[in-house]
Amino acid sequence: MGSTGSIGTQTLDVVRAYPDRYGVYALCAHRSIDRLIAQAREFKPEVVCIADESLYEPLCQALADMPVKVWAGSEAIAQVVTMPSINVVVAAMVGYAGLKPTIEAIKAGKTIALANKETLVVAGEIICDLAIRHHTPILPVDSEHSAIFQSLVGEDKSEIEKILLTASGGPFRTFSLDQMRTVTAADALKHPNWDMGAKITIDSASMMNKGFEVIEAKWLFGVPVEKIQVLVHPQSIVHSAVQFTDGAIKAQLGAPDMRLPIQYALSFPERLQSDFPRADLFSIGALTFEEPDLARFPNLALAYEAMRRGGNMPCVLNAANEVANLAFREGRCGFLQMSDIIEKTMNQAAFIPKPSYEDYVATDTDARRIAQNNF
Ligand code: MG
């Protein structure tokens, strides 16, 4: 899911490198039709699915000479992921849209390689309950969570003292509040270390991405957010670490290359021989760590606050952020204004302590409307 995005295309890089091991059953994309057509021709899946239904006809026409089935619409994506031939679903859609199909894939017992962190931010409790009930493994693709997961191999979770979640700090790490007031989307899209999609690059610049990752870590590893510490680590070589009850710290290091965690999620518990670039510690020289500045990056504090309040509040946080993030990318709001909109929306949205799936759907709609009124 999300085959034409940054994680999707890098997943296909991994598939391409191991043709004897991996094959593609279905490719699902939002609306990048040209890229989807090229992928379908190369990987010859059984099904291609495009979320934007207005692109169904042109997609059918472009693939008319192939035996592939063409489906369209978000309901079709939620169905395609349950097909019997599928072993693993790579969940790499952007934002809230990933929730429904991920739930369907879990119910169908598919192993989930999870890149779409918003799914856990919005409905972590439901997702984790479902995964336990259907014996569905959820393997992290997010580089930090892959690092934590790798550090926990062979360990007992009850012996975790602390999770050390690293953050690059993004392009505005050293900017003053005054400078941050006037930055544009183009400035924010220049990420120093990672090459990612537009939405997550903005989330990364505002540190909402790190706030989401704290929530993601809580659900994936069953650790309360008070035990998850964020460290700004500008070199992006230590991808995260775990501190244990005896004081030992285990970390996973490597080049900032998403193909590594993607490949590990697909090959776990094995490691595959790869020729992706290595991290050269001599040329890196020094690894540094700083405390995050919550005054300049209030989104991180808002994410902790959403988890402290619990219930549907992380869902409100996510919906308001999706609205603010898009507005910033379209030049309709300032960089710091994003946090104001999210905070106001969190204070105005109705609180539901024990939300059902339907409550999350309603909360998402309401919070988006409230956020729009906060511009
Ligand atoms: Mg990450």
Side-chain angles (χ1 to χ4, degrees), residues 121-367:
V121 171
V122 169
E125 196 154 19
I126 286 182
I127 295 288
C128 290
D129 286 350
L130 277 175
I132 290 166
R133 245 193 296 142
H134 296 271
H135 307 286
T136 308
I138 299 180
L139 300 170
V141 166
D142 210 349
S143 60
E144 294 80 359
H145 304 75
S146 178
I148 296 161
F149 182 70
Q150 292 181 53
S151 301
L152 287 172
V153 170
E155 301 291 349
D156 190 326
K157 276 191 187 167
S158 68
E159 290 166 354
I160 301 173
E161 188 170 79
K162 219 183 207 186
I163 284 180
L164 304 171
L165 187 73
T166 53
S168 71
F172 308 138
R173 180 175 62 91
T174 59
F175 279 37
S176 68
L177 263 178
D178 255 359
Q179 285 174 299
M180 285 165 80
R181 248 181 275 282
T182 55
V183 294
T184 64
D187 299 325
L189 288 168
K190 291 180 204 130
H191 194 278
N193 304 336
W194 294 98
D195 184 13
M196 305 175 286
K199 194 257 178 184
I200 187 173
T201 305
I202 301 301
D203 282 345
S204 194
S206 71
M207 287 197 86
M208 184 53 94
N209 181 55
K210 209 47 58 179
F212 284 172
E213 289 184 354
V214 169
I215 300 173
E216 182 185 11
K218 179 220 146 69
W219 293 118
L220 281 174
F221 306 112
V223 172
V225 292
E226 308 79 61
K227 288 189 172 184
I228 304 170
Q229 181 172 22
V230 173
L231 297 83
V232 175
H233 166 51
Q235 298 83 19
S236 296
I237 297 298
V238 176
H239 296 314
S240 279
V242 179
Q243 182 174 310
F244 295 95
T245 45
D246 62 352
I249 296 175
K250 274 170 81 177
Q252 186 260 329
L253 287 72
D257 181 339
M258 282 311 296
R259 292 172 302 180
L260 292 171
I262 292 168
Q263 178 174 303
Y264 189 75
L266 294 179
S267 70
F268 175 79
E270 280 176 73
R271 287 189 186 275
L272 304 182
Q273 165 66 40
S274 96
D275 45 18
F276 300 143
R278 270 45 174 167
D280 174 14
L281 294 177
F282 288 124
S283 69
I284 295 153
L287 301 174
T288 60
F289 303 91
E290 307 160 10
E291 250 187 85
D293 180 351
L294 298 182
R296 287 184 305 127
F297 296 99
N299 281 353
L300 193 52
L302 289 174
Y304 275 100
E305 172 67 11
M307 281 311 283
R308 195 189 57 73
R309 291 200 224 168
N312 63 338
M313 217 28 84
C315 176
V316 173
L317 173 86
N318 177 70
N321 182 61
E322 287 193 24
V323 169
N325 179 308
L326 181 66
F328 176 67
R329 276 183 281 152
E330 293 179 350
R332 288 183 283 113
C333 88
F335 186 76
L336 296 177
Q337 206 190 339
M338 287 193 286
S339 306
D340 294 340
I341 291 164
I342 296 162
E343 187 175 8
K344 282 185 194 152
T345 306
M346 282 171 63
N347 290 334
Q348 292 160 7
F351 179 65
I352 305 172
K354 264 269 171 210
S356 64
Y357 173 75
E358 288 70 28
D359 290 330
Y360 284 124
V361 175
T363 297
D364 181 73
T365 307
D366 283 349

Side-chain angles (χ1 to χ4, degrees), residues 6 75 88 93 116 134 138 154 213 241 277 353 375:
S6 175
E75 280 303 315
V88 182
M93 295 162 97
N116 175 249
H134 296 271
I138 299 180
E213 289 184 354
F375 279 90

Side-chain angles (χ1 to χ4, degrees), residues 75-93:
E75 280 303 315
I77 294 179
Q79 268 177 39
V80 78
V81 294
T82 67
M83 302 305 271
S85 321
I86 296 175
N87 304 111
V88 182
V89 173
V90 179
M93 295 162 97

